Amino acid sequence: QLVYPHEFRLTEKEKTSICYLSFPDSYSGGLGDTQFSFRLRQAGGSRDSPFQDDGRYNREAPLTLQREAAHYFGYVYFRQVKDSSMRRGYFQKSLVLVSRLPYVNLFQCLLQLIAPEYFDKLEPCLEAVCNEIDQWPPPVPGQTLNLPVMGVVIQVRIPSRVDKPGSSPVKQCNQENLLPAPLVLPSVHELDLFRCFQPVLIHIQMLWELMLLGEPMVVMAPSPTVSSEMVLALTSCLAPLRYCCDFRPYFTIHDSEFKEYSTRTQAPPNILVGVTNPFFIKTLQHWPHILRVGELRMSGDLPKQVKVKKLAKLKTLDTKPGIYTSYKTFLHKDKTLIKRLLKGIQRKRPSEVQSALLRRHLLELTQSFIIPLEHYMASLMPLQRAITPWKNPPQIRPFCQEDFMRSLEHAGPQLTCVLKGDWLGLYRRFFKSPNFDGWFRQRHREMTQKLEALHLEAICGADIVAWMKDKSEVEIVDLVLKLREKLVSPSLPPLP
């Protein structure tokens, strides 16, 4: 109905997709307001973003919070209320905020302020809000931003790549100078993990492994809110490792990729999809892993845990909540964690404390898995003394999976993680996944940049006059041409 600011260009295909993705497609008898999010593949070639920042943001932000190049995130505020003046008997409208940044908390909070006003005052409200947002400072990793909008100041810290993983967010500052008192968001993006994972707590180990290996998975939920929260919670449980597969927090049968996902002639792609339409039970029952969840509710005792069931039991219509898969985990469950969380429920421990416990457990698990890979990768870097100004920088040695597997005996995850199981089998499967490919490319690129920087340093510190004394003219000209090429050509492109 309306795109604001008007100069923001979307293709017709993108507009159609956004329209379908901004309404719940399950039968939703629920009246009132609903919030959820989706992720949309950009149609056509890359387009300039109005915020050109030469890649600095992506270099300094954590990998999991980088600005997306080929996808948009959509944050939705949907209202459905009875209205006899409407043909259908209901007022149904969604306000959608589109961004390349995965700041789910910030943008959902922003929509809670804007949407009710917008439904009342329409376009003038958006114009006023956009004028305020235009004045906001850019998101700089490591900085706390004060963002005024509609008489409220939202205060939030943008995480940085140098933050210690798992540390609590830095305490917000300079509140006393701000009037009115700011609305402080504890995190720009972190969800309430405990609430999201309540029905699957005892299977957290299995879900972590499925995410790590980038397995194709469908989340079937009763509403877009539950679907999108569960998908985002699952992709976040690999932090600080980036989930490199495609993911759709909310997906509908109108999506242009629907045919691609529902075909049975080829294996499903490496993607995590959240859906609500019961029709998907029929069309996606050939997928290897299906998580069916009910409404998420916070209750005094541990909510009913879903069971792991064989895929053959996925009946077409009345499907009970459960994880439908034949996957066998490589690692054993962490019973200590489950006990701690159960005790927390009995003692009515706040949800944010339970979430912090869960997040720390997943972080330590991912770090235990990734540290041996980091150590081995570092060993492939040439020695600094091999870098000389008179030759091209030496090459990074190739990654040999068997050498890595041999290194695990004395430097494996067993040093930092109490979980027993088939770690070697897990690494072998991981090597075939898009997550390994994404991690390896990123590390290789960073190491190549480091080598380039060390080589330039060596050139800057070299005594070229002394070197020239016993060299022929051909050698000197050759060096001059190489140096000129080095200085003229830009260094490696910044990380995406």
Side-chain angles (χ1 to χ4, degrees):
Q1 194 179 25
L2 169 70
V3 177
Y4 203 94
H6 300 302
E7 62 272 17
F8 181 60
R9 291 277 167 262
L10 288 165
T11 65
E12 285 310 309
K13 187 178 172 188
E14 285 165 350
K15 282 184 190 170
T16 307
S17 295
I18 288 171
C19 286
Y20 282 124
L21 286 165
S22 14
F23 283 83
D25 77 344
S26 50
Y27 166 70
S28 170
L31 292 177
D33 297 352
T34 304
Q35 285 189 266
F36 56 95
S37 46
F38 60 80
R39 184 167 173 267
L40 170 75
R41 191 186 289 172
Q42 183 177 291
S46 65
R47 268 158 283 163
D48 285 346
S49 147
F51 307 105
Q52 291 304 326
D53 73 341
D54 72 12
R56 180 188 163 190
Y57 171 81
N58 274 6
R59 283 198 299 277
E60 296 177 5
L63 294 176
T64 50
L65 286 185
Q66 290 190 339
R67 185 179 273 127
E68 294 254 359
H71 289 86
Y72 292 121
F73 290 97
Y75 302 94
V76 182
Y77 192 106
F78 169 68
R79 172 167 288 182
Q80 176 168 288
V81 287
K82 279 188 175 164
D83 184 343
S84 51
S85 67
M86 300 278 181
R87 195 160 52 90
R88 295 171 113 184
Y90 286 94
F91 169 90
Q92 292 170 308
K93 193 171 266 197
S94 282
L95 181 64
V96 186
L97 190 153
V98 177
S99 172
R100 293 189 187 280
L101 292 165
Y103 291 172
V104 59
N105 282 352
L106 173 61
F107 293 140
Q108 294 290 22
C109 167
L110 186 59
L111 280 171
Q112 284 166 16
L113 297 170
I114 302 169
E117 279 290 296
Y118 166 72
F119 293 138
D120 192 28
K121 298 179 180 150
L122 301 179
E123 193 171 348
C125 161
L126 288 190
E127 191 173 351
V129 163
C130 285
N131 284 338
E132 288 190 284
I133 292 175
D134 275 344
Q135 311 301 314
W136 286 5
V140 178
Q143 286 194 6
T144 296
L145 305 181
N146 293 314
L147 310 172
V149 63
M150 297 182 68
V152 177
V153 176
I154 302 172
Q155 189 174 83
V156 72
R157 182 180 181 275
I158 307 297
S160 157
R161 196 178 284 200
V162 296
D163 292 349
K164 188 166 169 277
S167 59
S168 56
V170 178
K171 287 279 175 281
Q172 313 289 6
C173 47
N174 49 12
Q175 292 188 14
E176 64 284 353
N177 312 339
L178 289 172
L179 287 169
L183 173 60
V184 179
L185 296 188
S187 161
V188 76
H189 67 291
E190 284 177 351
L191 296 160
D192 183 340
L193 271 197
F194 179 67
R195 191 173 62 84
C196 294
F197 285 149
Q198 271 188 99
V200 292
L201 281 176
I202 61 173
H203 308 300
I204 206 76
Q205 178 64 46
M206 175 191 273
L207 293 168
W208 176 82
E209 284 186 25
L210 291 172
M211 292 299 103
L212 182 74
L213 301 173
E215 286 285 309
M217 185 165 165
V218 187
V219 173
M220 294 184 173
S223 69
T225 310
V226 176
S227 146
S228 57
E229 285 195 352
M230 184 61 93
V231 167
L232 292 174
L234 285 166
T235 57
S236 76
C237 74
L238 290 186
L241 191 66
R242 183 184 195 157
Y243 180 75
C244 295
C245 306
D246 198 355
F247 62 98
R248 303 299 164 94
Y250 175 53
F251 185 76
T252 75
I253 53 176
H254 305 288
D255 201 288
S256 55
E257 280 116 56
F258 174 66
K259 279 197 179 68
E260 186 188 320
Y261 299 161
S262 52
T263 176
R264 288 163 188 255
T265 53
Q266 61 196 58
N270 299 84
I271 182 171
L272 175 60
V273 188
V275 301
T276 59
N277 193 325
F279 179 66
F280 280 108
I281 297 178
K282 193 173 171 185
T283 51
L284 300 183
Q285 59 183 291
H286 63 293
W287 278 47
H289 317 287
I290 296 171
L291 168 59
R292 182 85 198 260
V293 284
E295 279 294 348
L296 297 183
R297 293 190 185 88
M298 278 308 231
S299 56
D301 49 356
L302 183 67
K304 196 163 181 243
Q305 295 294 288
V306 305
K307 291 189 168 68
V308 175
K309 305 174 186 188
K310 289 280 179 288
L311 271 167
K313 293 200 175 152
L314 188 65
K315 296 278 192 298
T316 315
L317 286 169
D318 177 37
T319 307
K320 294 189 168 64
I323 301 176
Y324 295 84
T325 179
S326 51
Y327 179 80
K328 295 279 179 283
T329 57
F330 287 92
L331 306 180
H332 306 315
K333 278 181 184 164
D334 187 335
K335 293 190 174 138
T336 326
L337 171 79
I338 310 295
K339 280 182 188 154
R340 285 186 74 187
L341 292 170
L342 282 172
K343 196 170 272 185
I345 292 172
Q346 288 164 356
R347 294 181 174 170
K348 298 195 168 34
R349 196 186 283 148
S351 181
E352 54 268 28
V353 181
Q354 295 277 72
S355 281
L357 274 174
L358 201 45
R359 195 170 277 111
R360 188 179 320 130
H361 166 77
L362 292 165
L363 174 73
E364 286 168 2
L365 190 53
T366 304
Q367 284 180 322
S368 293
F369 183 82
I370 217 76
I371 285 168
L373 281 162
E374 294 280 0
H375 281 324
Y376 176 71
M377 195 75 188
S379 75
L380 304 177
M381 187 82 165
L383 295 171
Q384 196 154 347
R385 64 168 177 267
I387 299 168
T388 152
W390 325 121
K391 290 182 190 159
N392 284 337
Q395 296 293 299
I396 297 163
R397 289 194 297 285
F399 190 106
C400 170
Q401 293 182 13
E402 290 314 310
D403 283 354
F404 168 73
M405 298 305 259
R406 281 193 286 277
S407 76
L408 290 177
E409 208 172 312
H410 51 85
Q414 70 279 3
L415 301 179
T416 51
C417 186
V418 294
L419 286 195
K420 299 280 184 278
D422 180 10
W423 286 95
L424 296 182
L426 188 58
Y427 280 112
R428 284 192 200 283
R429 271 289 279 278
F430 178 66
F431 288 141
K432 300 185 181 110
S433 80
N435 288 329
F436 169 69
D437 190 52
W439 171 82
F440 177 73
R441 283 165 184 261
Q442 171 80 22
R443 295 295 292 118
H444 198 277
R445 202 184 293 114
E446 285 170 0
M447 285 163 72
T448 310
Q449 286 181 335
K450 178 81 174 150
L451 272 178
E452 285 285 333
L454 289 169
H455 189 227
L456 276 173
E457 248 174 64
I459 290 171
C460 294
D463 186 346
I464 291 178
V465 177
W467 177 84
M468 281 167 54
K469 278 183 185 151
D470 57 347
K471 297 294 180 289
S472 69
E473 193 174 331
V474 175
E475 287 174 296
I476 292 169
V477 169
D478 188 47
L479 179 71
V480 168
L481 290 175
K482 271 188 182 158
L483 290 180
R484 178 195 262 170
E485 189 188 350
K486 189 94 185 163
L487 295 170
V488 170
S489 70
S491 199
L492 285 176
L495 295 178

